Amino acid sequence: MNPVLASVPDVALSFAEYQTEGFHDELFLADQTPRPEAGPIIQRINSLPPGELMRRQAAAERLLLQLGITFNVYGDNQGAERIFPFDIIPRIVPAHEWEWLERGLKQRIQALNLFINDIYHDQHIIKDGVIPAEILLDAKSYREQCHGINPPHGIWCHVTGTDLVRGGDGQVYVLEDNLRCPSGVSYVLQNRSIMKRTFPQVFDLSRVRPVGDYPLRLLRTLEHLSPRDVANPRVVVLTPGVFNSAYYEHSFLAQQMGVELVEGRDLVVAGEKLYMRTTSGLEQVDVIYRRIDDDFLDPKAFRADSMLGVEGLMNVYRAGRVALANAPGTGVADDKVIYAYVPKIIKYYLNEEAIIPNVPTYICENEDERAYVLDHLDELVVKAANESGGYGMLVGPHSTREQQAQFAELIKANPRNYIAQPTLSLSRVPTICGDHFEGRHVDLRPYILYGKEIFVLPGGLTRVALRKGSLVVNSSQGGGSKDTWVIATNQEQLTPQSATP
């Protein structure tokens, strides 16, 4: 349990003194009155007896520990698993806004799937001059080994996590795309389970849309890819092992779907098919939900020193005898330089304007834009094209002159590897800070499944920067999470979700 919470006396937390401080707040309007959709939860919290909210927060943290909801931080000398910090004040998304977000996310995934299929086949988007060839070919995640591959049903990006942020003007932007092995959905499901115990009555009163059917929807998405026409295709989750930072999620999703969790050593290629070793012999595998990067999938096709993958897997995949989700090569769309071209990608393939805009982005490969970035490092957020988790990033307003000088040299040495964006005044959500509430900056990662149709989970992972003033929400950088409540329309029929408190 958080030692800060353990030492707090039985104080009555309320929102009476809460201040939005000029930021866009997800629960309160600028005049400090609750947003309509947030009224029930705010009223409930304000009515709790002294100490009750803190006891519920502490109970939630104990439950996280009991459930083993942890993550590892690479490079952490302590080498210990950590509980993913959780704050019980939810983020709330009104029905009309979610409808807009859902349309925008479906549009984006459809266009990115067409883009990935094109670049590994005829590359029309390059021939037509929409994206420079060098931008694509120099992307670290571009895989020549994937040329000519035709994944089942032409779908490359089966599971996507798209990071969204809201600026100070209230506009929601896409911050980045995650199409390789997006993580975090297990926290969405477990956060919801905890919240239904914490505020059961408010949950139903607020008409919160459910997320609990995600594992079944994920399984149906994966089964849709099966190359064999069988009643129950063999699906497995491929994990790098217990030392991976997201191993808890790998095991959780396998358990929830009722499928085997395997490592590379559990699989073998024989007779141009893929098999799983079992106590009763070899069993053919139809679909792999892989949670390892392309480089480690197959030592014959990618990194020869990989001990995590399966030798010969890519040959079986190319022959159409096993399906991989996500398809190898999808990481090219995660490249932050490619990200800058997504509005053009949407226009090129769908002849539509992007519904959800990108954050304005400077491409350091461009000489004029690079010059501007170098002159304004103290104002901009600079990101490496292929880093994640909050690494390889400079937040200009919070940086030192020494750090700015270091990034200037990195940009000059390899301009293709860097982009820069304005420092957004990210929206905030009230968060428990000791014996009172303070606003903390958040983002939102919805999860999108692409199978027979495109499905957007009504909610997602709200990540919160727990350090005061911080804009970095990643768990590896001290961030935590909140439950995300998407409010149903008046026309939607919901079954009660409340649980016994």
Side-chain angles (χ1 to χ4, degrees):
M1 180 169 39
N2 188 328
V4 174
L5 294 177
S7 63
V8 172
D10 281 356
V11 294
L13 272 74
S14 80
F15 291 101
E17 303 299 324
Y18 179 72
Q19 298 292 318
T20 60
E21 299 178 316
F23 292 96
H24 184 104
D25 195 278
E26 299 292 344
L27 299 192
F28 286 88
L29 298 168
D31 63 1
Q32 309 299 132
T33 59
R35 296 183 183 277
E37 60 276 5
I41 185 68
I42 291 172
Q43 182 179 10
R44 177 59 176 151
I45 290 173
N46 284 339
S47 70
L48 291 174
E52 178 60 25
L53 185 66
M54 304 301 284
R55 283 190 284 272
R56 295 189 185 196
Q57 174 70 41
E61 293 187 355
R62 284 195 298 270
L63 186 56
L64 288 170
L65 181 61
Q66 293 167 6
L67 293 172
I69 303 175
T70 61
F71 69 98
N72 296 324
V73 178
Y74 293 127
D76 183 355
N77 293 329
Q78 297 179 355
E81 291 185 334
R82 302 181 186 178
I83 296 174
F84 194 21
F86 174 66
D87 185 86
I88 61 174
I89 310 303
R91 182 210 190 115
I92 302 179
V93 183
H96 71 275
E97 183 172 58
W98 184 256
E99 187 276 333
W100 173 77
L101 289 173
E102 187 175 47
R103 285 192 295 110
L105 292 168
K106 288 181 177 180
Q107 177 200 57
R108 194 174 183 95
I109 297 309
Q110 183 182 4
L112 286 174
N113 191 77
L114 292 170
F115 164 71
I116 297 168
N117 192 67
D118 182 21
I119 63 171
Y120 289 122
H121 288 89
D122 296 326
Q123 300 188 342
H124 292 298
I125 197 167
I126 293 177
K127 295 172 182 176
D128 290 339
V130 179
I131 295 181
E134 60 273 15
I135 290 292
L136 174 65
L137 299 178
D138 290 344
K140 289 183 180 179
S141 48
Y142 175 71
R143 302 286 183 242
E144 290 187 1
Q145 299 93 326
C146 294
H147 267 278
I149 286 178
N150 296 298
H153 311 292
I155 304 171
W156 293 76
C157 44
H158 313 94
V159 184
T160 304
T162 303
D163 292 345
L164 306 175
V165 293
R166 190 195 303 274
D169 58 355
Q171 175 66 55
V172 175
Y173 300 92
V174 175
L175 184 65
E176 63 181 54
D177 302 288
N178 299 280
L179 284 79
R180 275 175 292 192
C181 304
S183 63
V185 75
S186 61
Y187 304 124
V188 175
L189 302 176
Q190 295 288 34
N191 287 353
R192 177 57 54 84
S193 176
I194 290 171
M195 286 297 286
K196 286 193 292 185
R197 302 185 188 195
T198 306
F199 295 108
Q201 293 84 8
V202 177
F203 211 87
D204 289 332
L205 181 63
S206 297
R207 293 181 51 76
V208 181
R209 293 181 61 181
V211 298
D213 63 344
Y214 179 85
L216 179 59
R217 287 183 178 271
L218 174 60
L219 179 60
R220 295 291 176 261
T221 298
L222 298 172
E223 290 176 336
H224 178 62
L225 308 177
S226 174
R228 289 196 299 166
D229 185 15
V230 293
N232 297 295
R234 170 69 75 176
V235 177
V236 299
V237 177
L238 176 60
T239 177
V242 296
F243 296 108
N244 184 265
S245 62
Y247 180 77
Y248 165 78
E249 176 159 297
H250 306 165
S251 59
F252 174 81
L253 290 176
Q255 185 270 332
Q256 291 292 303
M257 289 190 289
V259 304
E260 295 292 335
L261 178 69
V262 301
E263 298 181 29
R265 59 189 176 184
D266 300 317
L267 304 176
V268 62
V269 171
E272 297 187 350
K273 295 179 182 178
L274 182 69
Y275 294 92
M276 175 177 62
R277 295 184 173 95
T278 74
T279 55
S280 57
L282 297 179
E283 293 187 13
Q284 187 173 349
V285 173
D286 300 298
V287 183
I288 296 179
Y289 178 32
R290 53 106 174 189
R291 296 299 297 261
I292 67 176
D293 287 340
D294 294 350
D295 284 341
F296 303 100
L297 272 176
D298 181 352
K300 291 184 69 175
F302 300 107
R303 283 184 51 163
D305 61 345
S306 172
M307 302 292 290
L308 303 175
V310 185
E311 185 171 328
L313 174 60
M314 285 298 291
N315 287 337
V316 181
Y317 177 60
R318 184 178 287 274
R321 293 179 178 173
V322 71
L324 293 171
N326 285 349
T330 54
V332 68
D334 290 2
D335 187 291
K336 293 177 177 61
V337 178
I338 298 295
Y339 156 91
Y341 288 89
V342 172
K344 293 182 179 180
I345 289 172
I346 293 172
K347 183 67 174 179
Y348 180 77
Y349 292 107
L350 303 181
N351 195 29
E352 299 171 358
E353 299 299 326
I355 295 172
I356 309 175
N358 274 15
V359 177
T361 302
Y362 300 97
I363 301 174
C364 292
E365 178 80 351
N366 180 288
E367 185 175 353
D368 292 337
E369 295 184 19
R370 180 169 67 251
Y372 178 85
V373 170
L374 293 172
D375 287 341
H376 296 82
L377 285 173
D378 60 333
E379 304 172 10
L380 301 171
V381 175
V382 180
K383 301 177 182 178
N386 292 281
E387 293 285 351
S388 60
Y391 296 104
M393 184 168 70
L394 175 80
V395 181
H398 297 169
S399 65
T400 64
R401 289 179 180 266
E402 181 180 358
Q403 290 169 330
Q404 293 166 26
Q406 178 185 8
F407 263 79
E409 293 305 314
L410 291 171
I411 292 169
K412 292 174 185 176
N414 186 7
R416 165 60 180 82
N417 194 46
Y418 291 93
I419 57 118
Q421 297 169 330
T423 304
L424 297 181
S425 177
L426 299 185
S427 66
R428 305 199 309 186
V429 176
T431 302
I432 298 175
C433 298
D435 61 354
H436 62 287
F437 296 112
E438 292 183 7
R440 289 292 186 266
H441 296 293
V442 294
D443 76 352
L444 174 62
R445 176 178 290 184
Y447 293 87
I448 306 100
L449 299 177
Y450 195 166
K452 289 183 179 179
E453 58 186 11
I454 301 177
F455 167 76
V456 183
L457 184 68
L461 183 64
T462 288
R463 299 183 298 180
V464 54
L466 295 175
R467 297 171 185 166
K468 188 170 185 176
S470 175
L471 299 174
V472 183
V473 300
N474 307 84
S475 58
S476 57
Q477 306 293 313
S481 71
K482 291 174 172 283
D483 194 15
T484 306
W485 292 9
V486 172
I487 306 304
T489 65
N490 292 331
Q491 291 73 36
E492 289 179 87
Q493 297 294 320
L494 299 179
T495 56
Q497 301 178 67
S498 58
T500 302

